[in-house]
Amino acid sequence: MRGGAMLSQKLLRRAAIAAASCAGILAVSVATLWELDRAFPPPLPAELTVSTEVQDRDGQLLRAFATPDGYWRLETRIDQVDKQFVDMLVTYEDKRFWDHQGIDVLALCRAAGQFAASGHIVSGGSTLSMQLARLIEPRESRSLGSKIKQILRAIQIERRLSKREILERYLTLAPYGGNLEGVRAASLAYFGKEPKRLTVSEAALLVALPQLPEKRRPDRNLAIAHAARDRVLTRMVSSGLIGEREAARAALDDVSGLRRALPALAPHAAYAMLPRAVPGEPLKLTIRKSVQEGLEQVARDAATKLGPRLSVAMVLADSRTGDILGEVGSANFFDASRSGWIDMTKIVRSPGSTLKPFIYGLAFEQGLVAQETLIEDSPVDFGGYRPKNFDMGYQGDVSVRQALQLSLNVPAIRVLDAVGPARLTARFRQAGVNPILPVNEAPGLAIGLGGVGVTLRDLVQLYTGLANGGKTHTLHDGTEPTNAERTTAIILNDQANWQIIDILSGVKPPEGALQRGIAYKTGTSYGYRDAWSVGFDGRYVLGVWVGRPDASAVPGLSGYVSAAPILFEGFVRSGLATVPLPGKPPGAFTPKREELPVTLARFGAGADGLVQATPTEPAPTIIFPPDGARVDLATNSADATPLVLKLQGGRAPFRWLANGKPLVGIDRRRTATWQPDGTGYSTLTVIDAAGRAASVKVFVE
């Protein structure tokens, strides 16, 4: 009895010693493995080396650049990939992925048993974590030692990354043949789309390719790729992930043997963004991908029709924000014969007649003209400067509306002489556009016909004012310095601005084009070097330039024939819904010709004595109210009083206008009264018998 008790105690002591020894060994082993894990961590960089991406305003890929080692490797998140593809991948490669800690013991035992029974590898037993280990640290051979190392690395990876992170790294690094890595690059190259919405057939092919990416490349081994896809479909049916009918339908889909180029949209802007690239962060432009695709296709098609060496540039902007939604610097970036690498949206060229709307706009603003004011189109000499019309002919007396719609040169220069070239260029600078003049020359009348340098961007920026009630916005596409100043400015007041819109909206569309509710203007530079067309609806402005980048002449080139059809096609292919043009603002006045006051019936001075001033008379000047004054007339009460208007100088009789609308009657006195119909800013203008005008702007309270 006693002996048995002593034996039990000895056994307990030995068991305790053994347990303590095992625990110690285990602790030492764990500590050793911990130290080894710390000493030899897996090569897991915080950020993968991926392709630099340039994205549009909505995050869609416009352009990707290969990695320094020449791979197309696009960073991939799970939410960028079709969920069914992820389910198929996990089912096919590692069905217990979400449960194990890096190794699937059951899968390894199955693989070992199959190898022992058959003498060759039937299935690998590798988990996605093990495959990621192989991708980040390629093995030199398929030896047992390499397999063990891969297993240990998988355990290390599982300790450092979440399951989602492991899967996303696999989706970014998995090989798909050639220099394609990652499911996004593969989907774009083989299907021409992001992997967000894959068909069952497409998903099955992308699951199959990484096992033998070179052997199964559909662009080189189409039959093998087809068979590999079908095996994945069969496995998905046996696992219950998809039904037999769905798999059968997917098996009927063709596997394309085409490898497409990755998106390369907006190349000029994309290259301009490259210096700002930060690893792992996409670069953003204000461009909208669908708009850019449409404009680039229009430019390519148009250049093909126009002939060799000719290029096309286009800029489409949102007039309310200044955002550039599409910009085409050349017809084809890679076409050396057209100097495609030159961004013609930023090259200074002669704008031809495209500045004429702003000349007439200033005249409307100053009360010098109405739409039906007659103006003479006949030979004239401005101190040695003799402008001629494009067709070398003359129309005689025409209305201001006709003169602008027909883009007659002589009437435009007559009006510019009245409003002043310096005032026109000052208004441009106020709107953020700095026209380039010949060295040491002041603004002259020639600027009205293109004797000044501007860029396509400049023109579109000016025209955003016409589309936006007279207010321009600085254009931007995302390539500008982060501290670049963005300005808004008034190019024309709203009444004058609407008059120009009303005239340009009546310009006849080019032959074969549909009227889309847009207003537009064309221009052709001297010597047939540049053809322009700029148009707008109630929100979007599109500018088109056509010509040769080397500025050589192109016989027959013109804005109406060469550029205007591209403008109308560009609006169609942009996919943007047409926004109605702005309506008539309060105070805008469009009298018939017979309703015009004498001072607006005919523009300018002539030998016949009509509206002719003498140099001895001072021009009229409004002395009350002063410019910029705030006047309290109690307009919202029953005690509202009229505002007394006073002027000096000028030749009687006088015509007063409030916001472009003539006040009743013509008066020979130098005083008048005006009863405003509401509060806010108003422009008061007086015109004397010689056609000279003065204006002030007041705020009525």
Side-chain angles (χ1 to χ4, degrees):
M1 187 80 176
R2 181 180 295 176
M6 290 177 63
L7 180 59
S8 297
Q9 290 176 359
K10 287 180 181 181
L11 290 173
L12 288 173
R13 281 197 299 272
R14 289 176 182 175
I17 293 170
S21 299
C22 289
I25 292 170
L26 182 61
V28 171
S29 299
V30 170
T32 301
L33 290 174
W34 181 268
E35 289 301 320
L36 288 172
D37 180 62
R38 293 178 58 188
F40 302 101
L44 286 173
E47 297 289 344
L48 296 175
T49 301
V50 295
S51 296
T52 297
E53 294 184 43
V54 180
Q55 298 179 351
D56 80 342
R57 63 193 299 113
D58 302 315
Q60 296 190 70
L61 182 66
L62 290 172
R63 173 69 189 259
F65 293 90
T67 62
D69 53 355
Y71 282 88
W72 297 108
R73 184 186 304 130
L74 305 180
E75 186 173 21
T76 306
R77 301 185 307 273
I78 288 180
D79 58 8
Q80 294 176 297
V81 181
D82 189 276
K83 183 180 182 301
Q84 187 173 45
F85 165 78
V86 175
D87 293 340
M88 291 172 70
L89 174 68
V90 171
T91 301
Y92 190 79
E93 292 285 357
D94 187 2
K95 62 183 179 182
R96 284 178 282 274
F97 169 72
W98 301 105
D99 302 318
H100 63 63
Q101 299 301 312
I103 57 173
D104 186 343
V105 177
L106 293 177
L108 285 175
C109 291
R110 182 199 69 236
Q114 290 172 338
F115 177 77
S118 64
H120 63 274
I121 297 175
V122 177
S123 61
S126 293
T127 63
L128 287 172
S129 303
M130 293 167 64
Q131 292 184 48
L132 176 60
R134 186 174 71 247
L135 292 173
I136 63 175
E137 197 174 25
R139 61 191 180 187
E140 297 178 358
S141 66
R142 295 173 63 88
S143 65
L144 181 60
S146 296
K147 195 70 170 181
I148 293 173
K149 180 180 180 181
Q150 191 182 114
I151 291 171
L152 295 174
R153 286 300 197 201
I155 295 172
Q156 289 181 297
I157 289 171
E158 290 272 351
R159 292 187 58 249
R160 288 166 169 79
L161 300 178
S162 68
K163 290 290 187 180
R164 182 185 180 92
E165 290 171 329
I166 291 170
L167 189 54
E168 289 182 338
R169 292 208 175 199
Y170 175 85
L171 294 173
T172 301
L173 297 174
Y176 279 91
N179 63 346
L180 296 176
E181 288 191 355
V183 68
R184 285 186 61 209
S187 183
L188 288 165
Y190 294 134
F191 311 136
K193 65 180 182 181
E194 293 277 359
K196 183 64 177 176
R197 290 180 176 84
L198 298 171
T199 66
V200 173
S201 173
E202 292 167 345
L205 180 63
L206 293 181
V207 168
L209 291 181
Q211 287 77 44
L212 295 169
E214 292 303 322
K215 186 177 180 180
R216 295 176 177 176
R217 282 179 61 170
D219 59 324
R220 293 190 177 179
N221 302 298
L222 184 58
I224 296 176
H226 196 286
R229 180 206 63 179
D230 290 349
R231 283 195 294 273
V232 172
L233 292 173
T234 300
R235 178 84 67 83
M236 294 304 103
V237 172
S238 63
S239 65
L241 189 63
I242 62 176
E244 289 186 7
R245 289 186 177 180
E246 187 176 14
R249 285 194 299 268
L252 294 174
D253 291 345
D254 290 332
V255 174
S256 172
L258 175 68
R259 172 173 166 171
R260 301 165 178 81
L262 265 64
L265 297 169
H268 297 92
Y271 274 103
M273 291 290 281
L274 265 184
R276 296 194 213 167
V278 175
E281 294 184 13
L283 300 165
K284 283 268 192 177
L285 293 172
T286 62
I287 285 171
R288 181 172 294 160
K289 183 177 182 180
S290 59
V291 173
Q292 185 69 26
E293 287 176 325
L295 295 187
E296 289 193 15
Q297 187 62 54
V298 169
R300 283 193 297 270
D301 294 345
T304 300
K305 293 179 182 177
L306 288 166
R309 297 175 55 200
L310 278 163
S311 193
V312 177
M314 308 172 77
V315 174
L316 192 153
D318 185 338
S319 68
R320 300 177 187 176
T321 63
D323 288 353
I324 292 177
L325 303 181
E327 56 184 339
V328 180
S330 65
N332 188 332
F333 184 80
F334 300 102
D335 189 343
S337 69
R338 304 179 195 273
S339 301
W341 61 87
I342 300 177
D343 185 355
M344 295 304 300
T345 68
K346 299 178 181 178
I347 301 300
V348 174
R349 305 300 281 264
S350 165
S353 298
T354 55
L355 300 181
K356 287 177 182 175
F358 303 99
I359 298 173
Y360 287 101
L362 288 179
F364 278 110
E365 197 172 272
Q366 295 172 38
L368 299 179
V369 298
Q371 289 195 32
E372 292 302 321
T373 298
L374 290 178
I375 188 167
E376 190 176 357
D377 179 31
S378 62
V380 65
D381 188 332
F382 294 94
Y385 177 57
R386 301 179 179 87
K388 295 180 175 61
N389 287 324
F390 185 77
D391 62 1
M392 305 304 291
Y394 298 95
Q395 303 286 326
D397 280 352
V398 294
S399 68
V400 164
R401 181 181 181 89
Q402 291 170 325
L404 180 52
Q405 288 183 342
L406 297 174
S407 196
L408 300 176
N409 290 343
V410 175
I413 298 304
R414 289 184 187 274
V415 175
L416 179 59
D417 186 49
V419 301
R423 179 175 293 178
L424 180 67
T425 55
R427 194 64 65 92
F428 290 161
R429 293 189 182 97
Q430 180 180 315
V433 171
N434 294 306
I436 307 301
L437 295 165
V439 178
N440 299 325
E441 284 196 21
L445 294 179
I447 66 176
L449 304 182
V452 67
V454 297
T455 68
L456 179 58
R457 272 199 178 199
D458 290 336
L459 274 181
V460 172
Q461 183 162 318
L462 291 175
Y463 274 75
T464 60
L466 296 180
N468 193 42
K471 181 186 292 185
T472 63
H473 287 279
T474 302
L475 297 190
H476 53 274
D477 62 4
T479 63
E480 301 79 15
T482 53
N483 60 350
E485 183 180 3
R486 296 183 185 179
T487 61
T488 59
I490 301 298
I491 186 72
L492 293 171
N493 69 31
D494 56 352
Q495 291 90 359
N497 193 75
W498 179 84
Q499 299 283 359
I500 299 302
I501 293 174
D502 190 52
I503 293 174
L504 295 183
S505 65
V507 177
K508 181 182 177 182
E511 186 176 354
L514 297 176
Q515 177 57 266
R516 283 180 50 84
I518 65 174
Y520 80 107
K521 181 72 182 75
T522 61
T524 308
S525 68
Y526 178 77
Y528 304 97
R529 291 175 171 85
D530 310 276
W532 306 85
S533 186
V534 190
F536 56 93
D537 60 14
R539 178 164 187 171
Y540 304 110
V541 181
L542 175 58
V544 176
W545 169 88
V546 177
R548 288 178 178 163
D550 63 2
S552 59
V554 184
L557 187 74
S558 75
Y560 187 76
V561 173
S562 307
I566 301 174
L567 174 81
F568 278 75
E569 183 66 15
F571 266 112
V572 172
R573 297 290 288 274
S574 72
L576 297 171
T578 302
V579 179
L581 289 165
K584 182 189 292 189
F589 185 54
T590 53
K592 298 177 181 178
R593 184 170 301 167
E594 59 270 18
E595 298 173 342
L596 290 172
V598 64
T599 51
L600 289 178
R602 176 178 289 274
F603 177 81
D608 57 3
L610 289 175
V611 195
Q612 186 173 359
T614 62
T616 58
E617 296 172 335
T621 303
I622 298 174
I623 59 174
F624 188 84
D627 189 37
R630 300 180 72 91
V631 184
D632 188 357
L633 300 178
T635 55
N636 294 325
S637 70
D639 300 326
T641 58
L643 177 65
V644 177
L645 314 175
K646 299 180 181 181
L647 68 90
Q648 287 181 346
R651 175 194 291 184
F654 304 102
R655 164 68 74 181
W656 287 89
L657 299 92
N659 297 320
K661 183 177 182 179
L663 303 185
V664 176
I666 300 175
D667 206 325
R668 302 191 68 85
R669 297 174 299 173
R670 285 175 167 78
T671 61
T673 58
W674 169 55
Q675 182 69 62
D677 54 7
T679 60
Y681 281 104
S682 291
T683 300
L684 300 172
T685 301
V686 66
I687 306 172
D688 73 353
R692 297 170 297 180
S695 296
V696 295
K697 196 168 188 176
V698 298
F699 187 87
V700 178
E701 298 178 335

